Amino acid sequence: MSTERTLRDQIVAHGLKLTPSGLSQGTSGNLSIRHGQGFLITPSGMPYGEIAAQDIVPVAMDGRYEHTRAPSSEWRFHRDIYAARPDVHAIVHAHPPYSTGLAMCRMDIPAAHYMIAVGGGDSIRCSDYYTYGTQELSDAVVRALDGRLACLMANHGMIAAGATMEQAMWRAIEVETLARQYAIALQVGKPVLLNDEEVTQVIEKFGNYGLMSRK
């Protein structure tokens, strides 16, 4: 069982990777890890380079928190994903350019490459649009993640989930790579999609693939 301090340190360390990885910039995006009867989440409006372990905000499942800093304005969808998905223990929300570009067009990422399996199915769905921080957006995100571990958010960004923060961050980077590849393919021609059997075979093989196999 990881200690709370270890989990706080993980959030801080991976937050520092958001900008170098191309996933987010400035104060955009947020990260959380399930802990106890709630979760730990990045604070609202702080640059990642300034966030220390003590700035990470514990939030209860009813939304209560007791901290000098406010939690990310997106805490609701983190809470609701954890409530709906016992398999999820870490969440990365970011605004990377290619994922966000497709989300601005309200497009899913289809099975144009076998790495679509990182999302747990044959597509990365795009959720419906609602104002950030609202319950309506949270409900839309939970629907888009049904049976999936990643989704795009219409006119907003993307979400990747995982059993660990390391896995969630890896998945976020892979989804952004898929989005970039798909955007390029759309400029070249009409991407040829893998069929259901081909996607299922990859998902099965991914059971023992790298970070996908870590719980």
Side-chain angles (χ1 to χ4, degrees):
M1 179 69 70
S2 298
T3 65
E4 181 173 333
R5 178 53 192 255
T6 298
L7 297 179
R8 287 171 176 269
D9 288 343
Q10 288 179 17
I11 293 174
V12 170
H14 284 85
L16 291 172
K17 297 178 181 179
L18 284 177
T19 298
S21 69
L23 288 176
S24 276
Q25 59 287 320
T27 62
S28 67
N30 33 78
L31 300 87
S32 72
I33 297 179
R34 188 193 293 271
H35 178 63
Q37 299 304 306
F39 56 98
L40 302 168
I41 192 168
T42 46
S44 178
M46 282 191 75
Y48 291 97
E50 298 178 9
I51 297 175
Q54 61 266 26
D55 296 313
I56 303 303
V57 184
V59 181
M61 293 302 281
D62 62 3
R64 290 183 298 108
Y65 66 94
E66 297 180 5
H67 199 279
T68 55
R69 299 197 181 279
S72 166
S73 60
E74 303 284 21
W75 66 266
R76 283 179 180 81
F77 70 63
H78 289 260
R79 185 269 310 274
D80 291 349
I81 293 169
Y82 290 130
R85 297 287 298 272
D87 58 317
V88 170
H89 291 268
I91 296 167
V92 172
H93 165 53
H95 301 168
Y98 286 92
S99 295
T100 303
L102 293 178
M104 290 164 67
C105 298
R106 304 196 181 185
M107 296 172 64
D108 297 347
I109 304 175
H113 190 284
Y114 75 83
M115 285 297 285
I116 196 71
V118 300
D122 63 358
S123 67
I124 307 293
R125 302 187 189 107
C126 184
S127 77
D128 295 329
Y129 176 80
Y130 293 96
T131 304
Y132 78 91
T134 62
Q135 186 61 52
E136 291 85 356
L137 175 60
S138 181
D139 293 342
V141 162
V142 171
R143 289 193 297 270
L145 284 172
D146 183 29
R148 299 286 193 273
L149 288 163
C151 73
L152 306 184
M153 304 166 69
N155 306 89
H156 188 147
M158 59 89 75
I159 294 173
T164 64
M165 178 53 67
E166 183 183 19
Q167 188 186 86
M169 180 67 77
W170 167 77
R171 180 167 286 115
I173 292 170
E174 292 293 341
V175 170
E176 174 62 359
T177 299
L178 279 169
R180 183 171 70 251
Q181 292 166 338
Y182 184 50
I184 292 170
L186 288 172
Q187 296 176 62
V188 174
K190 182 178 180 180
V192 177
L193 304 186
L194 302 178
N195 62 40
D196 290 346
E197 181 180 357
E198 289 166 335
V199 174
T200 298
Q201 289 175 349
V202 177
I203 292 174
E204 291 173 352
K205 289 174 71 68
F206 268 24
N208 295 310
Y209 175 78
L211 288 174
M212 290 284 285
S213 65
R214 301 184 188 179
K215 304 296 184 182

